[in-house]
Amino acid sequence: MITFTLTKPLHRLQGTTRRFAKGEYDVRAEISSRDEIGDLLKTFNYMAKTIESKMEELKDAVRRQEEFTANFAHELKTPMTSIIGYADTLYQKTLSPEEVHQLAGIIMNEGMRLEALSFKLMELVTLRDYGRGIPKEDLQKITEAFYMVDKSRSREEHGAGLGLALAVKIAKLHHTELVYESVAGQGTCVSFMLAKEADDEEEET
């Protein structure tokens, strides 16, 4: 009876953990004691709440990415349509030099618009901050789950040390890895490379 009483909360936690692993991120352990097992259950609930919050952030990030892709595609469509249309006019018809000059000017302007959009897109690729930076001895550990360089500050900001660990998992799903360069007191730079398929061959971009 004593063994059953002591292990019952652990069996319940095991069941809760399995439900959580299946995607029920809102499930929580029932806390019925204030001993070490109670502390363990509290820690699990804190971890579950943090992961649920991160999952919601990821869903929101995916939604924003989809909106960005749709908006960017719309912005590309207008100048591309103009360039193709005016280029086709130049190709199909015999025009006066003045008309050719006018249409060439429109095509050039639309091309410059596309160039400006590409520059804006490039600004969103190379990620850099100019904050506190990360000490060299901590740089290799920052992607470990629950690792925090400044634990006291992270707790004040409600951090749990899961953000970069999740980022690494996401990068692996896209067949790449994150590369961190940081200098304490100067900031951090994070870079990565993605592969695209072209003519059944992968090339880096």
Side-chain angles (χ1 to χ4, degrees), residues 89-141:
T89 300
L90 289 172
Y91 181 76
Q92 297 287 347
K93 296 182 179 181
T94 301
L95 305 174
S96 66
E98 292 78 12
E99 290 174 321
V100 171
H101 184 268
Q102 181 183 8
L103 294 184
I106 295 174
I107 292 174
M108 185 180 70
N109 289 333
E110 294 300 326
M112 292 175 65
R113 182 179 174 186
L114 284 177
E115 184 182 45
L117 286 173
S118 68
F119 287 153
K120 287 294 182 182
L121 184 61
M122 288 299 295
E123 290 177 1
L124 300 176
V125 175
T126 335
L127 177 59
R128 179 183 295 274
D129 69 34
Y130 298 94
R132 298 189 295 269
I134 303 170
K136 185 177 181 179
E137 60 271 16
D138 294 306
L139 199 58
Q140 301 299 322
K141 303 177 183 178

Side-chain angles (χ1 to χ4, degrees), residues 13 26 32 67-68 86 88 93 103 151 172 178:
L13 176 61
D26 58 344
S32 57
E67 290 178 355
F68 169 79
Y86 289 120
D88 184 62
K93 296 182 179 181
L103 294 184
K151 295 180 175 58
K172 286 183 178 180
L178 303 180

Side-chain angles (χ1 to χ4, degrees), residues 141-147 160-172 178 180:
K141 303 177 183 178
I142 58 175
T143 57
E144 297 177 6
F146 304 109
Y147 185 82
L162 289 172
L164 294 181
L166 291 174
V168 168
K169 296 291 186 182
I170 294 172
K172 286 183 178 180
L178 303 180
Y180 297 89

Side-chain angles (χ1 to χ4, degrees), residues 30-110:
E30 180 183 347
I31 301 174
S32 57
S33 64
R34 297 182 178 180
D35 54 10
E36 289 81 359
I37 294 179
D39 291 338
L40 174 63
L41 299 178
K42 287 181 181 178
T43 301
F44 172 84
N45 286 345
Y46 177 76
M47 179 197 69
K49 181 179 179 182
T50 302
I51 294 178
E52 183 184 21
S53 175
K54 295 298 181 183
M55 292 300 295
E56 290 300 321
E57 290 179 9
L58 288 175
K59 290 179 182 178
D60 184 60
V62 170
R63 179 187 57 79
R64 286 186 278 112
Q65 182 180 10
E66 290 174 348
E67 290 178 355
F68 169 79
T69 302
N71 292 334
F72 191 76
H74 177 74
E75 290 295 324
L76 287 177
K77 183 179 179 180
T78 302
M80 285 298 294
T81 300
S82 297
I83 290 173
I84 293 172
Y86 289 120
D88 184 62
T89 300
L90 289 172
Y91 181 76
Q92 297 287 347
K93 296 182 179 181
T94 301
L95 305 174
S96 66
E98 292 78 12
E99 290 174 321
V100 171
H101 184 268
Q102 181 183 8
L103 294 184
I106 295 174
I107 292 174
M108 185 180 70
N109 289 333
E110 294 300 326

